[in-house]
Amino acid sequence: MSEQEPPQPPNPPRVVCCIGDIHGFHSKLLNLWLNLESDIGGRAFQTAVIIFLGDYCDRGPNTREVLDFLVSLPSKYPGQKHVFLSGNHDLAFAAFLRLLPPPPDGSDFKEGWREYEDNEEREGWFKGDGYEEMYLQGRRWAGKIKAKFNAAKGTEYQGSIYDAGPTFESYGVPHGSADLVKAVPDEHKKFLADMVWVHEEDDVCIETEDGIKQCRLIAVHAGLERDKDVKEQLKRLKDRDTRVPKIEALSGRKNVWDIPKELSETPTIVVSGHHAKLHIEGLRLVIDEGGGYAHKPVAAIVLPLMKIVRDIDDYAK
């Protein structure tokens, strides 16, 4: 009589790693990636779901190198699942390069300018080659703001309201130059054109005081509007609907901070970057400790353990 084989342990839940705003800091991204590889390790890292929460460009000096790194990941780590969310900065970068889908109702992008036209002079909207058919945020991104100092942030503006100057410079052209369209390589344009505005995962595990909980996960750069129908929001985000000149789920603040009440029926994690802070409260995760500041870390959260990993952590010890 053969011995009965011992029961096999259940497969551990798949690791889901959400990486906060990078903002052109290539060295920080490399350090964070190495720390994640050291912390998660082995097969768990090689098969992880990696969700980048957006804002790859602007403020930091190395947008081009950051996009080179991100573009290379699927071939270097074929067992991983990579999700590249669009942030509001990336949306504006893509808009300037004319990579956004046209409004589904057949309207022109310029119809969206009217709502914010009182800001055009102060923000110095782009009026160079191609501006006539440009989505509003592309014009703002490449504009030349008159003010030199951002009182709200306590920093100097870097070219535009978006601090896009370093992105232009990383591609070898001055801020506001229409030559950026030619300078950005095709693989970067494809990356920017393919970014998603929202991502959903089913059966994501998260560690709580009561043990492991299975949840739905919604990842979106800023959050979901609390007073609008969630299904309709998700549909517009999945469709990348450009009829609206400002996408609140990518650029809102207070109105996208809380989890919409209708999502409380099924445990749902809502994870975002964007807000220049690290905030973990229940199932609402905001992972943007760096905020694009040179002196602050770039962070990630690793599920199910809810562990924060930063670029400044020292895993060599």
Side-chain angles (χ1 to χ4, degrees), residues 5-238:
E5 290 194 17
Q8 297 298 309
N11 290 328
R14 189 175 187 183
V15 168
V16 177
C17 178
C18 302
I19 296 177
D21 301 25
I22 299 161
H23 277 303
F25 286 102
H26 181 239
S27 61
K28 292 185 182 186
L29 173 59
L30 290 183
N31 289 340
L32 176 63
W33 189 261
L34 291 172
N35 285 341
L36 287 169
E37 193 162 13
S38 297
D39 180 67
I40 300 168
R43 178 171 171 76
F45 182 73
Q46 296 297 329
T47 59
V49 178
I50 310 290
I51 302 174
F52 289 89
L53 297 172
D55 279 0
Y56 315 112
C57 63
D58 301 343
R59 298 187 180 146
N62 311 116
T63 290
R64 180 170 188 154
E65 290 85 351
V66 166
L67 264 60
D68 279 336
F69 179 86
L70 298 178
V71 166
S72 75
L73 286 179
S75 60
K76 289 182 178 177
Y77 298 86
Q80 291 178 344
K81 177 178 178 179
H82 302 102
V83 177
F84 301 108
L85 286 174
S86 174
N88 57 316
H89 286 256
D90 315 308
L91 179 82
F93 185 7
F96 182 77
L97 298 175
R98 271 80 92 199
L99 299 173
L100 297 183
D105 61 0
S107 61
D108 294 328
F109 282 140
K110 65 176 60 177
E111 292 183 20
W113 303 350
R114 298 190 184 101
E115 185 177 348
Y116 298 95
E117 61 188 358
D118 290 346
N119 297 330
E120 179 174 1
E121 184 179 353
R122 179 179 63 86
E123 294 178 354
W125 295 357
F126 177 78
K127 290 193 74 171
D129 291 347
Y131 90 94
E132 298 93 343
E133 299 177 351
M134 190 176 291
Y135 183 72
L136 171 65
Q137 303 306 329
R139 295 195 64 198
R140 297 179 74 224
W141 183 78
K144 296 184 179 178
I145 190 166
K146 288 186 175 181
K148 299 300 181 187
F149 188 73
N150 184 337
K153 295 182 180 293
T155 58
E156 297 283 331
Y157 281 112
Q158 299 184 73
S160 72
I161 195 80
Y162 277 94
D163 296 321
T167 296
F168 281 82
E169 292 161 16
S170 76
Y171 288 97
V173 299
H175 173 71
S177 171
D179 290 339
L180 181 66
V181 177
K182 297 176 183 177
V184 174
D186 288 344
E187 60 268 27
H188 290 194
K189 289 178 180 175
K190 184 178 188 310
F191 174 89
L192 293 165
D194 290 347
M195 291 180 302
V196 296
W197 291 8
V198 68
H199 178 73
E200 293 182 84
E201 288 277 340
D202 293 323
D203 297 327
V204 170
C205 291
I206 188 169
E207 195 169 87
T208 71
E209 292 179 354
D210 301 321
I212 295 289
K213 179 185 288 188
Q214 283 190 314
C215 301
R216 175 188 180 194
L217 180 144
I218 299 174
V220 59
H221 180 63
L224 295 173
E225 294 178 79
R226 58 172 171 252
D227 297 324
K228 292 190 177 179
D229 181 78
V230 170
K231 286 185 179 179
E232 180 61 26
Q233 288 189 67
L234 293 176
K235 183 182 185 305
R236 290 198 170 201
L237 290 168
K238 289 173 183 176

Side-chain angles (χ1 to χ4, degrees), residues 16-20 36 53 271 278 280 285 287 299-303 305-309:
V16 177
C17 178
C18 302
I19 296 177
L36 287 169
L53 297 172
V271 59
L278 186 68
I280 298 170
L285 314 179
I287 312 299
I301 190 166
V302 181
L303 308 179
L305 297 181
M306 298 283 283
K307 182 172 184 179
I308 300 298
V309 177

